[in-house]
């Protein structure tokens, strides 16, 4: 869900991410580790899901856009 992604990024909790949760989970974990070391903070830009387009809302995939500053 959208909250899942925001919790991970806000807490830098890499243990919450596995390959079933996100495409590129390994890259996301690596980036979160670097962002944490550099003391970067996530800023949520937008959250959407595939139901926001032409897809049915009974089975959706979520997408989040974050900037790290």
């Amino acid at each position: 869900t959208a909250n899942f992604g925001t919790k991970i990024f806000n807490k830098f909790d890499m243990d919450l991410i596995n390959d079933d949760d996100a495409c590129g989970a390994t890259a996301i974990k690596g980036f979160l580790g670097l962002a944490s070391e550099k003391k970067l903070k996530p800023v949520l830009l937008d959250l959407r899901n595939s139901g926001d387009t032409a897809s049915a809302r009974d089975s959706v995939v979520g997408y989040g856009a974050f900037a790290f500053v």
Side-chain angles (χ1 to χ4, degrees):
T1 66
N3 287 337
F4 179 72
T6 56
K7 286 178 187 177
I8 290 169
F9 286 119
N10 287 328
K11 293 182 180 182
F12 293 97
D13 194 344
M14 293 165 279
D15 293 332
L16 291 176
I17 304 170
N18 64 52
D19 291 333
D20 294 331
D21 298 318
C23 297
T26 301
I28 292 170
K29 288 180 178 184
F31 175 77
L32 287 177
L34 180 63
S36 180
E37 287 177 19
K38 299 290 184 182
K39 308 281 192 246
L40 298 175
K41 301 293 181 198
V43 176
L44 175 64
L45 302 176
D46 198 10
L47 290 175
R48 300 289 169 166
N49 66 54
S50 53
D52 294 327
T53 62
S55 297
R57 292 200 176 266
D58 59 343
S59 179
V60 297
V61 175
Y63 303 92
F66 297 84
F68 284 77
V69 294

